[in-house]
Amino acid sequence: MSFFGFDTSLPNQGKGAGREKRTATPDKPLDFDETYQGLGEYENEEDDYLNNETFGNATDLGTDFDFGYGNGEINNGAVPTAAQVDHGRSYASAATTGPAVTNTGYAAAAPHSMDEGMDFTPMESLWTNQPMMMHHPQQPQHPQVLSMEELERQQQQQQVGVSHGQQQAYMGMPPMPPMGYGYAPQAFMPQAQVMPGAAYPSAPQGMPPQGLALPPQGMPPQSMPPPGMAPPQYQQHTLAMQQQPGAHQQAAHLAPSVVSPLAQQELQQSPHLVQKAAHPASAAVSDFATPSPPHLINSKSAQGQPRLGSPSQMAPSSQDSRESTPRGTRRGSMRKHQEPLSQDDFKRLQVRQAKVDKILRHSGVMTPRDKDFITRYQLSQIVTDDPYNEDFYFQVYKIIQRGGIVGESNKGLIARAYLEHSGHRLGGRYKRADVALQRMQSQVEKAVTVAKERPQKNRENFDGAKEGVLGKISSAKNSKAPRRQLQIPQQRDEDEDISSSAIEDVVESLNGVDISSSSRARRRSSYAFRSVDQRAVLSRSGGRKFVLSLIETVYAEVLDLEALLRSGKETDSTHLWESLHIADDAYEVSPFISILSFDKGVKIMPRIFNFLSKEQKLKLLYCFFSELSHLNIIVTSSYKTNPDPSDSQLKKIELFQSVFLKIIVSFLSSSAEFLEVLGLLLALVKNNNVSFISTSKIGLNLVTVLISRAALIKQDVSRGSVLSTVEASSWNEIYDKLFTALETKLAAVFPPEEYTSRVVVTSSNGTPTSATVGQSSGHQFYDQSYIWQFLASLALSGKLNHQRVIIDEIREEIFGTISRAEQLVKNVPAEEQQIALYQRDKLYQDLNLFLNVMGLVARDGEISELK
Amino acid sequence: MLFFSFFKTLVDQEVTVELKNDIELKGTLKSVDQFLNLKLDNISCSNESKYPHLSSVRNIFIRGSTVRYVYLNKNMVDTNLLQDAARREAMSARK
């Protein structure tokens, strides 16, 4: 049986403690106790005779060349030899001999050992020195006393006794300040590791890398967190050394190892596995400390061996070392310098050590790559490649706030915020905050990529691979899909689909039918209709739910179109137009009119108008004016149907005026032709009860808008080209129709006293609206300017006989207004004079709007001709 | 993402956060993440006599799950935009 043919299956004689423990299943992380075969504890090795074959019998074994089998027999034989061979090499002697012996370098000794020890002397030297680093001043007792240890101790005592005075020579250096020795312990460790490996070929597997990474840990056996981590041999040797008389003196040499963890850890600033760092360190030190080639080889083989082990053994063991090293290092090093260092130094070191320990406690657990990976995935949760879609509010809000200028890029902001968050804003060791920011920005970039790769809308599978990257996210709710208060069954959607597809069928069948004719066929005209009951109107246009869902559809279409617009794509308003249901004849009242019953329906109108073509807008307005009587807002704002308007109704009126009326005015004044305005006016007159509409503020406003626009175009045209006879005659015809509808009811446009006072009370209690005017909130009065505007525009377009009719009908109102204005000034106390004067002026101002059209002016209680 | 997006616009604004243990903290919102964890600066506690331990705290990191309310100024919110954003969110959820 040769060295490499050594039977790796366990020898039968095994009865060491380590062997007995070896019962763990192979799946479990490797533990020394499990892997160590206990070979060092054999009392007797029957195959010893093979040693010659393995190592060559020319080798002259020293004391130290005991691979753990050591018993009296071997020891006795070996010790004297070692004394001779190893002279001038023992580490241990350094303390006793002092610097004086410095000259005997290891370099010098090495050739010597080569000569004598042949091929295996390096091993021998390793063995000799290995225990040295294990010294500990304070180790009076070993936790477990084994018979084997005693044997070892004996051996060590002999050996060390002999080798005193050689220690210095081994290092080839005088005792040095701590730093100089910084790596020494590590350098030795591999050697120590080699020994068992070399001696028992089966051992390498049982000696996973942790041995390499744990140099200081092995020193005080108590400090070893996992009991099985340090090979028992270490303990034995340590014990042996401790019991030597001269052991305490060796502390001077151990001082380096106090510092060594520091040095070692500083080297690993980029925190890799301690183990990894240990490799280069040990390699470097072995180079530095030992010029002798064999020595070098050994330390290398020490590193190499663990790698020979199967991966399954490697992985867990390296993990072990990662976990245990910092702690073990710390404790071990803390103890060692107690004696050698002065009190001050010791304290300083202790403080420093404590700090470093704190910092390094968990440092190196993750590599920078690991950290980057985590950062990237964390960031991927808060970045998006489609900010306008997923981060809509923030994006648009910022644009609105900055007045359309896009400020710092979103990614920059995120990077900055995240740096703040993670406390890296200082830029780490080199205070390179800019570098840190740059790095983070690139991380954000990458995170965007990650976000892109993220499974699209993993709402169905919450357990997506990266869903819980940032910690546990319960599957029911997370930031992406918060728990919903209402769980609406999806079934409903299908129902709606069916109904809306049915509607589409109807729409299709009605396609091509002229709007006006079809609306006439449906009798949409609303002469008879005067109900405040909004539900009745809604039910006639498909029901409240239907209308509300329509509004949402419209919103969705508009949002889609706006998104297209933002991304600079072509917009197609077909879908939007369809969703408005303007040309939809399936209902008695057009759903579009009902859409306007809701505030949100009114509010969306300006945005709808952005996308409609002129033709579509015209159609929309045509529909609107045709069915004006159904319009909720008309009903609400008419004193006849709603004599006691509430605050919220007044607000609604206000909203409608400021939003929809504005659109109509701007559309009419910017793009409507004369005939188109006439067409709208005709639709209004023909299909509605004009006298009813004129009792409402909104209705009156709308009529005013139409006729004043027509009048303006007419004047413009007459100044430029001549109005065609057809246009002129149709205008006259329509005006006559309108006037006829209003005749005898013109006085009805003035709301009664009770109504106006109620409006004043309501609006002064609630939010002031434009329904009232006044200098202070306490002195509001009903604003009648809209009525006088209407009368003025009506009179402006009419002929003299029309004007005469108007004046006849509203004569009382004219004089009533004048007398009211005069009364105001007369009856008020002096302190309210100012307010009364303003009010009087306002009344005259409004009245004169109308009177001026006919060349009259009211002033100081009298009507005179305008000069 | 809507609330996250929304709270991002409040960064550097002063808000009052009421926690589920009734502590009310007023401070400048420094940052917010997707869990709606909040980081406040220059905090002051509205009931300092009851929670004296907070009087020496300048900035604080609040776990999002412990927040009951965040009080805002009315002008910090663009309600129309928020409506749009909510609709967009609902739309993308439906798709």
Side-chain angles (χ1 to χ4, degrees):
Chain A
M1 197 191 275
S2 73
F3 183 96
F4 292 105
F6 193 90
D7 183 11
T8 47
S9 70
L10 292 175
N12 306 330
Q13 298 95 328
K15 52 188 170 188
R19 182 189 189 81
E20 281 157 13
K21 286 181 200 161
R22 206 170 165 279
T23 48
T25 62
D27 307 318
K28 289 174 87 177
L30 285 180
D31 189 286
F32 176 79
D33 281 314
E34 294 164 26
T35 52
Y36 176 53
Q37 300 187 337
L39 292 168
E41 286 153 359
Y42 289 106
E43 290 263 325
N44 204 349
E45 173 58 88
E46 283 182 357
D47 288 339
D48 258 356
Y49 66 91
L50 287 170
N51 281 351
N52 282 351
E53 191 185 327
T54 306
F55 302 117
N57 38 9
T59 311
D60 200 353
L61 297 182
T63 337
D64 321 278
F65 198 62
D66 173 13
F67 299 112
Y69 293 72
N71 53 20
E73 212 179 296
I74 296 178
N75 278 347
N76 293 340
V79 172
T81 336
Q84 295 156 6
V85 171
D86 285 342
H87 203 321
R89 251 186 275 167
S90 172
Y91 196 135
S93 64
T96 39
T97 48
V101 206
T102 321
N103 298 342
T104 28
Y106 181 68
H112 170 71
S113 68
M114 283 290 275
D115 294 339
E116 284 208 20
M118 303 294 280
D119 46 345
F120 264 86
T121 21
M123 292 286 200
E124 199 177 329
S125 72
L126 289 175
W127 191 239
T128 309
N129 293 292
Q130 184 261 339
M132 297 306 177
M133 46 158 312
M134 298 300 182
H135 297 192
H136 199 288
Q138 304 178 317
Q139 291 274 302
Q141 280 298 317
H142 193 280
Q144 317 163 313
V145 178
L146 303 168
S147 65
M148 190 56 214
E149 285 175 8
E150 279 166 15
L151 288 169
E152 290 267 350
R153 195 186 311 146
Q154 280 177 11
Q155 184 195 355
Q156 291 296 339
Q157 276 169 343
Q158 288 169 339
Q159 172 216 327
V160 172
V162 170
S163 60
H164 273 204
Q166 301 169 349
Q167 183 181 18
Q168 200 68 45
Y170 169 70
M171 282 312 288
M173 293 185 178
M176 282 169 75
M179 283 316 276
Y181 273 100
Y183 302 121
Q186 271 164 351
F188 287 97
M189 233 16 233
Q191 297 160 6
Q193 196 60 48
V194 166
M195 291 321 289
Y200 315 108
S202 64
Q205 290 176 344
M207 294 297 231
Q210 76 257 46
L212 295 174
L214 291 171
Q217 191 183 356
M219 307 239 173
Q222 302 104 309
S223 72
M224 296 190 300
M229 280 304 283
Q233 281 144 316
Y234 293 177
Q235 300 174 4
Q236 291 158 11
H237 293 310
T238 307
L239 188 61
M241 291 317 286
Q242 282 153 5
Q243 296 187 344
Q244 300 168 36
H248 68 280
Q249 288 168 321
Q250 291 157 357
H253 290 270
L254 292 173
S257 64
V258 171
V259 187
S260 74
L262 290 182
Q264 174 192 348
Q265 281 157 349
E266 262 159 33
L267 274 182
Q268 313 165 358
Q269 269 299 343
S270 68
H272 277 280
L273 304 180
V274 174
Q275 179 203 350
K276 281 186 189 166
H279 281 289
S282 59
V285 173
S286 55
D287 281 341
F288 142 82
T290 63
S292 120
H295 187 121
L296 193 60
I297 289 162
N298 281 328
S299 73
K300 277 185 180 155
S301 68
Q303 295 159 28
Q305 270 167 349
R307 294 196 181 124
L308 295 173
S310 68
S312 65
Q313 285 170 327
M314 285 289 290
S317 63
S318 67
Q319 199 125 25
D320 283 347
S321 71
R322 233 188 286 179
E323 282 165 17
S324 58
T325 302
R327 253 172 284 147
T329 305
R330 194 166 62 247
R331 267 190 256 160
S333 56
M334 291 290 275
R335 285 229 190 119
K336 264 168 282 158
H337 48 65
Q338 279 171 353
E339 271 187 69
L341 292 177
S342 75
Q343 202 66 18
D344 279 358
D345 282 353
F346 170 65
K347 272 192 176 154
R348 214 175 44 237
L349 255 171
Q350 217 172 12
V351 170
R352 183 170 150 72
Q353 182 74 29
K355 274 186 192 166
V356 172
D357 283 347
K358 221 173 192 178
I359 295 168
L360 297 178
R361 184 181 300 249
H362 297 296
S363 87
V365 174
M366 291 166 75
T367 65
R369 273 176 65 92
D370 292 342
K371 289 178 185 169
D372 282 357
F373 179 80
I374 299 291
T375 309
R376 197 152 59 235
Y377 272 96
Q378 285 182 331
L379 284 172
S380 78
Q381 298 289 314
I382 59 171
V383 295
T384 166
D385 60 319
D386 186 7
Y388 272 117
N389 209 17
E390 293 189 29
D391 199 15
F392 179 79
Y393 182 83
F394 178 81
Q395 296 298 328
V396 180
Y397 187 87
K398 286 291 163 198
I399 290 172
I400 291 171
Q401 270 204 328
R402 299 204 182 87
I405 304 149
V406 183
E408 192 178 1
S409 81
N410 185 34
K411 281 164 195 168
L413 281 174
I414 290 176
R416 199 173 293 264
Y418 206 82
L419 273 180
E420 288 267 317
H421 227 82
S422 57
H424 289 109
R425 65 188 178 286
L426 298 178
R429 201 146 75 102
Y430 302 103
K431 309 269 182 234
R432 297 298 305 274
D434 52 334
V435 173
L437 182 65
Q438 270 174 19
R439 261 177 57 79
M440 192 55 78
Q441 271 166 341
S442 76
Q443 282 298 307
V444 173
E445 291 288 342
K446 284 181 196 154
V448 172
T449 326
V450 175
K452 230 180 274 180
E453 288 162 1
R454 201 167 47 201
Q456 274 297 309
K457 303 276 172 260
N458 36 9
R459 286 187 156 74
E460 284 108 50
N461 53 335
F462 285 114
D463 307 323
K466 298 292 183 281
E467 195 61 37
V469 174
L470 300 146
K472 197 178 158 210
I473 299 176
S474 71
S475 58
K477 51 197 166 152
N478 61 25
S479 52
K480 283 251 160 197
R483 183 175 61 185
R484 294 192 184 135
Q485 207 75 38
L486 288 175
Q487 294 289 344
I488 300 160
Q490 291 296 303
Q491 198 98 27
R492 283 182 50 114
D493 279 355
E494 290 166 25
D495 293 345
E496 272 172 32
D497 284 347
I498 291 162
S499 66
S500 65
S501 67
I503 292 162
E504 271 158 31
D505 287 343
V506 177
V507 172
E508 255 173 62
S509 69
L510 289 170
N511 263 356
V513 181
D514 180 43
I515 295 171
S516 57
S517 66
S518 68
S519 73
R520 228 177 283 125
R522 272 184 296 138
R523 306 280 316 152
R524 264 196 193 172
S525 62
S526 51
Y527 277 103
F529 177 67
R530 260 186 225 173
S531 171
V532 207
D533 188 4
Q534 187 54 35
R535 273 174 299 175
V537 184
L538 285 177
S539 68
R540 286 198 287 164
S541 61
R544 181 185 161 85
K545 274 185 201 164
F546 172 70
V547 174
L548 283 173
S549 78
L550 263 189
I551 294 174
E552 291 307 320
T553 323
V554 170
Y555 264 100
E557 293 293 344
V558 169
L559 287 170
D560 276 347
L561 287 173
E562 280 174 348
L564 284 176
L565 203 64
R566 237 192 321 269
S567 53
K569 288 178 197 142
E570 282 290 304
T571 57
D572 178 15
S573 61
T574 323
H575 287 288
L576 174 61
W577 180 251
E578 280 167 11
S579 67
L580 284 171
H581 288 267
I582 286 165
D584 186 352
D585 294 331
Y587 304 97
E588 203 173 336
V589 175
S590 168
F592 171 69
I593 297 296
S594 291
I595 285 174
L596 290 173
S597 304
F598 296 93
D599 280 359
K600 59 178 176 181
V602 175
K603 279 181 192 160
I604 189 72
M605 285 303 154
R607 294 161 74 183
I608 293 175
F609 263 61
N610 286 339
F611 295 104
L612 295 184
S613 65
K614 192 197 165 189
E615 203 178 315
Q616 286 169 327
K617 287 178 194 172
L618 262 179
K619 271 189 192 171
L620 184 145
L621 288 180
Y622 187 89
C623 169
F624 172 75
F625 281 112
S626 300
E627 305 191 34
L628 202 56
S629 303
H630 292 301
L631 195 65
N632 175 247
I633 206 76
I634 299 283
V635 179
T636 312
S637 65
S638 163
Y639 69 87
K640 279 194 175 166
T641 46
N642 187 20
D644 189 8
S646 66
D647 184 41
S648 63
Q649 282 172 329
L650 289 178
K651 267 191 214 149
K652 263 190 152 183
I653 294 166
E654 178 82 5
L655 175 78
F656 192 89
Q657 258 182 315
S658 64
V659 175
F660 197 55
L661 207 61
K662 220 163 134 189
I663 307 171
I664 296 174
V665 171
S666 71
F667 171 73
L668 289 180
S669 54
S670 65
S671 45
E673 303 287 322
F674 185 65
L675 274 181
E676 289 159 0
V677 178
L678 290 190
L680 295 175
L681 191 57
L682 181 66
L684 182 135
V685 174
K686 214 163 56 178
N687 298 322
N688 296 283
N689 183 342
V690 181
S691 66
F692 164 67
I693 287 171
S694 65
T695 60
S696 78
K697 187 179 174 182
I698 297 292
L700 214 53
N701 274 328
L702 288 168
V703 178
T704 312
V705 166
L706 283 177
I707 50 182
S708 60
R709 183 64 208 155
L712 269 173
I713 296 175
K714 201 178 115 197
Q715 280 174 2
D716 270 6
V717 168
S718 55
R719 238 181 272 133
S721 63
V722 188
L723 203 62
S724 74
T725 46
V726 184
E727 284 169 335
S729 65
S730 59
W731 166 237
N732 290 335
E733 200 181 314
I734 292 165
Y735 182 85
D736 280 341
K737 264 192 177 167
L738 175 69
F739 200 84
T740 319
L742 286 168
E743 215 173 0
T744 74
K745 289 154 196 149
L746 272 175
V749 300
F750 290 93
E753 187 68 32
E754 313 95 70
Y755 179 79
T756 58
S757 57
R758 263 195 207 117
V759 170
V760 171
V761 169
T762 313
S763 71
S764 59
N765 288 338
T767 336
T769 61
S770 67
T772 58
V773 285
Q775 274 177 316
S776 63
S777 57
H779 297 86
Q780 296 288 316
F781 59 96
Y782 192 73
D783 187 4
Q784 287 196 324
S785 57
Y786 74 96
I787 298 171
W788 296 113
Q789 275 167 8
F790 163 72
L791 293 171
S793 53
L794 192 66
L796 187 68
S797 305
K799 296 190 183 73
L800 201 59
N801 57 330
H802 292 133
Q803 291 177 354
R804 199 170 294 137
V805 172
I806 295 169
I807 289 178
D808 277 347
E809 287 202 31
I810 62 163
R811 186 183 305 273
E812 274 179 36
E813 294 295 335
I814 295 169
F815 289 115
T817 307
I818 291 171
S819 65
R820 202 149 19 108
E822 291 306 312
Q823 287 281 303
L824 271 173
V825 192
K826 275 179 205 159
N827 294 344
V828 289
E831 60 265 27
E832 289 188 13
Q833 198 73 26
Q834 202 58 34
I835 294 155
L837 275 175
Y838 168 83
Q839 209 164 328
R840 188 189 70 153
D841 288 350
K842 175 82 171 98
L843 284 177
Y844 274 128
Q845 205 183 321
D846 293 341
L847 178 60
N848 283 334
L849 272 178
F850 167 67
L851 291 180
N852 289 353
V853 172
M854 287 159 295
L856 299 170
V857 68
R859 209 179 286 130
D860 301 326
E862 282 175 24
I863 295 173
S864 57
E865 265 190 46
L866 193 64
K867 280 150 199 160
Chain B
M1 288 293 265
L2 175 59
F3 278 95
F4 174 49
S5 190
F6 170 69
F7 277 110
K8 273 202 287 180
T9 64
L10 298 178
V11 167
D12 291 333
Q13 310 255 34
E14 187 158 274
V15 295
T16 304
V17 178
E18 185 185 318
L19 304 182
K20 286 175 181 170
N21 59 5
D22 294 330
I23 294 178
E24 258 185 50
L25 297 165
K26 187 181 195 177
T28 313
L29 183 66
K30 288 320 281 181
S31 71
V32 62
D33 66 12
Q34 79 272 28
F35 303 111
L36 306 184
N37 298 331
L38 306 174
K39 215 174 140 192
L40 297 183
D41 210 353
N42 285 328
I43 60 158
S44 59
C45 185
S46 62
N47 194 353
E48 207 125 282
S49 57
K50 198 175 173 192
Y51 310 104
H53 58 287
L54 285 171
S55 57
S56 61
V57 180
R58 287 272 291 173
N59 47 52
I60 196 167
F61 179 88
I62 303 172
R63 188 182 151 96
S65 65
T66 63
V67 174
R68 181 182 291 146
Y69 297 122
V70 177
Y71 297 100
L72 328 161
N73 238 333
K74 206 176 177 182
N75 57 21
M76 291 180 190
V77 197
D78 186 334
T79 46
N80 286 325
L81 186 59
L82 197 57
Q83 282 175 20
D84 272 13
R87 285 202 170 90
R88 291 185 69 101
E89 191 107 329
M91 277 162 62
S92 64
R94 227 177 292 139
K95 271 169 196 168

